[in-house]
Amino acid sequence: MSGYNFAYLDEQTKRMLRRALLKALAIPGYQVPFASREMPMPYGWGTGGVQVTAACLTPQDRLKVIDQGADDTTNAVSIRRFFERTAGVATTTSTAEATVIQTRHRIPEQPLQEGQILVYQVPIPEPLRFLEPRETETRRMHELEDYGLMHVKLYEDIARHGEIATAYAYPVKVGGRYVMDPSPIPKFDNPKLNGNPAIQLFGAGRECRIYALPPYTEVVPLDFEDHPFRPGRADHSCALCGAQESYLDELITDDRGTRLYCCSDTDFCASRQAPSATEA
Amino acid sequence: MAAPTDNSAPLLQVSGLTKLYGPRTGCAGVSFDLYRGEVLGIVGESGSGKSTLLSSLAGQQRPDRGSILWQGQDVLSLPETGRRRLMRSDWAYVHQNPRDGLRMGVSAGANIGERLMALGARHYGGIRASALDWLARVEIDAARIDDRPSAFSGGMQQRLQIARNLVTGPKLVFMDEPTGGLDVSVQARLLDLLRGLVRDLGLSVIIVTHDLAVARLLADRLMVMKDGRVVEEGLTDQVLDDPQHAYTQLLVSSVLQV
């Protein structure tokens, strides 16, 4: 699209973003403030992720955008088209072929490789926010590694529900230092954060924060000795591809409460269906 | 009721502590030693500098002059990490208003467990067991462990705050008017409880109060403050029965007799 710089943002803004990204990669899990720009979409639609993606894209990149694992939902479609028009980069729905993947609340099922970049959209970057509303205090708590409060939340979960009921945005400790909110990914995805060969970048547009996990970073979910972390998953197999080990969406298919479970990762599901379709 | 002298080295040594608010004096030139198991009462009327002294001692605000030694170590030069660690391990602070000291959004059990978890306890069963144990010690029904403090009465909240503070076995407890705002019968029960805990656990306590009856019941030694300065100091019974300073005499004589 003429009249816009490559990938919409001007070069000075990208420079600012890249400096923040480099700092974030140098201190894994640390929230780096950045001067978030107004984007041509509302806050909550992934403005943080879009800015990070814009700063990472090169003309040779192949971009994939997912929303809750799906390539074909509104958020994913509109962001993908945004970069098709403003950057002219190739896009794909294939996890393996993408060099940059922007995601809202999922990590693809297919393991990522070195050289890939996974960009998360983050609504609330501060894991301590709902326990401690003051920003000055939460920054100080990060500074002093004063994280007892995080376990108070988990304690409260067990006391009320008999188990750690936090099912998404499950807090993790990064590299033995910073406690980080992995964005609202299901806790099923938490093990994939750990030791991932891809670069993982987190952008929170409204909150003006960027944080990152460099490749092969140790990421450990917080838990109790007698209530260890368990990645949760619906006890079904995918109705479309029969996958036993993928994360499932629950769909209500009629007015009588009939439920259908299918993979939340549409690319993973489609790639499993395709070979069986050709066999038949 | 005399201060135990078996531990010859004082736990806390304060000298020349001064806190100014601009041109006004918060407290000035306060010096004392506190020994293990000793309860020091600070009495005086409103505005006499009691609370300023307490918050300066407890590290909530930085005094302008003077020194505070905790077991021989200078507290004021501690880095923030060390100070916070001290505040939730060896020290404890009981606020006048339990809402300041409690986390109102989480259950009683989580309130008691918070200090344990902050010090690294990671065993849910263990934390819960200590919470139940401490609820029993402060005479709160074990069935209330998962209730939020907002569902508790004022007296129960104050007892919960005490449990939350004592769970890590602190050596020194700061108390700011712990019985303020409670009715007389609840006060009496709380005082009884506090006296028992202090004796059983061998706690050192610095308690600020304007209520001489509370001071008489709990404190081994008294400091009387007026206009930011200590005007009289001595054993509690001695100060209250035979006040020397004119202001102390006034204070003692103004207690209502029932």
Side-chain angles (χ1 to χ4, degrees), chain A residues 113-125:
Chain A
Q113 306 298 323
E114 278 186 25
Q116 288 185 305
I117 299 177
L118 186 60
V119 179
Y120 296 77
Q121 301 171 199
V122 182
I124 295 169

Side-chain angles (χ1 to χ4, degrees), chain B residues 42-115:
Chain B
I42 304 174
V43 297
E45 62 190 2
S46 296
S48 59
K50 309 185 296 281
S51 296
T52 298
L53 175 59
L54 195 72
S55 57
S56 302
L57 288 173
Q60 293 180 343
Q61 53 183 2
R62 214 182 155 71
D64 294 304
R65 277 194 293 280
S67 72
I68 305 172
L69 298 182
W70 167 252
Q71 296 181 328
Q73 193 190 13
D74 185 1
V75 177
L76 295 175
S77 67
L78 273 182
E80 178 76 5
T81 32
R83 203 181 61 75
R84 284 200 175 201
R85 174 153 283 273
L86 190 61
M87 267 322 288
R88 59 186 181 219
S89 54
D90 280 352
W91 289 10
Y93 194 102
V94 177
H95 292 262
Q96 173 174 9
N97 184 347
R99 279 160 194 275
D100 295 337
L102 291 172
R103 210 168 275 286
M104 300 302 284
V106 299
S107 67
N111 264 291
I112 298 178
E114 183 176 342
R115 276 171 73 105

Side-chain angles (χ1 to χ4, degrees), chain A residues 34-51:
Chain A
F34 77 107
S36 181
R37 298 290 195 254
E38 290 283 334
M39 296 302 284
M41 62 187 70
Y43 287 126
W45 284 50
T47 52
V50 165
Q51 289 178 75

Side-chain angles (χ1 to χ4, degrees), chain A residues 131-132 137 140-141 144 146-149 151-152 155-156 158-160 223-227, chain B residues 80-81 84 88 103 105-107 109-110 114 117-118 122-125 127-128 145-146 148:
Chain A
L131 302 157
E132 174 54 65
E137 183 61 20
R140 174 141 280 200
M141 288 161 83
L144 302 174
D146 192 354
Y147 290 133
L149 204 51
H151 273 87
V152 171
Y155 169 96
E156 199 65 359
I158 303 174
R160 274 214 225 134
D223 59 5
F224 285 104
E225 288 157 15
D226 47 347
H227 285 265
Chain B
E80 178 76 5
T81 32
R84 284 200 175 201
R88 59 186 181 219
R103 210 168 275 286
V106 299
S107 67
E114 183 176 342
M117 290 184 256
R122 291 293 178 262
H123 192 278
Y124 176 79
I127 294 165
R128 199 156 171 92
I145 186 169
D146 292 331
R148 292 189 177 184

Side-chain angles (χ1 to χ4, degrees), chain A residues 151-196:
Chain A
H151 273 87
V152 171
K153 179 179 185 282
L154 300 178
Y155 169 96
E156 199 65 359
D157 261 9
I158 303 174
R160 274 214 225 134
H161 307 288
E163 57 177 5
I164 299 179
T166 304
Y168 64 95
Y170 192 103
V172 292
K173 192 154 205 180
V174 176
R177 176 61 181 84
Y178 284 98
V179 164
M180 185 189 93
D181 184 337
S183 86
I185 59 171
K187 67 178 173 182
F188 173 84
D189 282 342
N190 269 27
K192 297 182 204 161
L193 293 164
N194 183 33
N196 199 313

Side-chain angles (χ1 to χ4, degrees), chain B residues 211-224:
Chain B
D211 188 338
L212 292 183
V214 170
R216 170 85 87 175
L217 268 171
L218 284 180
D220 302 321
R221 256 191 324 142
L222 271 192
M223 284 193 337
V224 183

Side-chain angles (χ1 to χ4, degrees), chain B residues 28 30 40-45 48-50 53 207 209 212 215 221-236 238-240 242-252:
Chain B
V30 179
L40 173 68
I42 304 174
V43 297
E45 62 190 2
S48 59
K50 309 185 296 281
L53 175 59
I207 181 168
T209 181
L212 292 183
R221 256 191 324 142
L222 271 192
M223 284 193 337
V224 183
M225 291 190 71
K226 178 170 169 31
D227 298 334
R229 293 178 186 280
V230 176
V231 293
E232 187 162 353
E233 193 180 354
L235 296 176
T236 302
Q238 182 189 327
V239 172
L240 293 181
D242 184 19
Q244 300 295 308
H245 191 274
Y247 174 69
T248 317
Q249 292 168 357
L250 179 70
L251 205 64
V252 171

